[in-house]
């Protein structure tokens, strides 16, 4: 369903299990960045009323996910660590050229957001199926459903605001590019790395 060209090696979960504190901190910041992305789309494209309405709802949902992850950190006696560099997103954002029309810029941002959500969904599925910590496995199972909904929402908006055939071609190219990025990742206890 997600269309990802290179699935995550299931052994990534073994890396995560050795440092749950690290994945939770990284995950918390991913939720914070998702909140910021939704706010940024509202600020940048206020004339797209339907998008603005959905982004308002998304801000509420993503910040509630941040709180849920932060609560998990606190329950385990830890504190939220500092934000880390996200090499996955940094590399991903190099794909589309800067500039272009407002519509092109919007479509590109929506495609990036869709792909980040799709990869998060795929990673959360792995965690839900493979983590030995059953409480965390259930936690990630529930979040996986949200990420899938976000992925389809962003992709749907890209197709709605752009020319569908062109958007679908860009989406396939972005998926191919992302698979090359992923071939060098999966060795750290981070959501995307």
């Amino acid at each position: 369903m997600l269309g990802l060209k290179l699935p995550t090696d299931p052994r990534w979960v073994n890396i995560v299990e050795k440092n749950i504190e690290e994945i939770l901190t990284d995950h918390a910041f991913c939720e914070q960045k998702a909140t910021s992305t939704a706010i940024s789309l509202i600020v940048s494209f206020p004339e797209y009323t339907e998008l603005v309405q959905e982004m308002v709802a998304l801000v509420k949902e993503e910040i509630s996910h941040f709180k849920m992850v932060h609560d998990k950190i606190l329950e385990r006696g830890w504190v939220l660590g500092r934000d880390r560099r996200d090499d996955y997103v940094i590399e991903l954002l190099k794909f589309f050229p800067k500039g272009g029309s407002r519509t092109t810029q919007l479509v590109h941002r929506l495609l990036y957001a869709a792909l980040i959500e799709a990869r998060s969904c795929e990673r959360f599925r792995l965690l839900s199926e493979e983590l030995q910590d059953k409480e965390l496995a259930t936690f990630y199972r529930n979040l996986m459903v949200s990420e899938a909904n976000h992925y389809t929402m962003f992709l749907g908006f890209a197709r709605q605001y752009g020319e569908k055939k062109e958007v679908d071609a860009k989406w396939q190219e972005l998926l191919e590019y992302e698979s090359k990025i992923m071939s060098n990742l999966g060795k750290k206890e981070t959501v995307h790395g």
Side-chain angles (χ1 to χ4, degrees), residues 13 21 24 41 57 81 97 118 149 174 183 188 191:
V13 177
E21 185 176 2
L24 288 174
L41 285 167
N149 290 334
L174 184 59
S183 68
K188 294 191 323 193
V191 174

Side-chain angles (χ1 to χ4, degrees), residues 100-115:
S101 71
R102 282 179 54 72
T103 303
T104 297
Q105 291 173 35
L106 173 59
V107 166
H108 290 174
R109 287 177 66 181
L110 292 168
L111 290 176
Y112 282 138
L115 187 49

Side-chain angles (χ1 to χ4, degrees), residues 92-129:
L92 197 61
L93 294 177
K94 293 177 181 176
F95 182 71
F96 290 121
K98 302 288 182 235
S101 71
R102 282 179 54 72
T103 303
T104 297
Q105 291 173 35
L106 173 59
V107 166
H108 290 174
R109 287 177 66 181
L110 292 168
L111 290 176
Y112 282 138
L115 187 49
I116 292 166
E117 296 284 356
R119 183 57 71 180
S120 298
C121 178
E122 187 247 6
R123 290 280 175 100
F124 290 175
R125 181 191 56 76
L126 265 178
L127 292 173
S128 75
E129 293 172 355

Side-chain angles (χ1 to χ4, degrees), residues 66-77:
F66 172 85
K67 182 180 180 342
M68 290 165 57
V69 179
H70 189 241
D71 288 348
K72 290 277 177 227
I73 291 168
L74 298 179
E75 285 167 14
R76 291 164 185 259

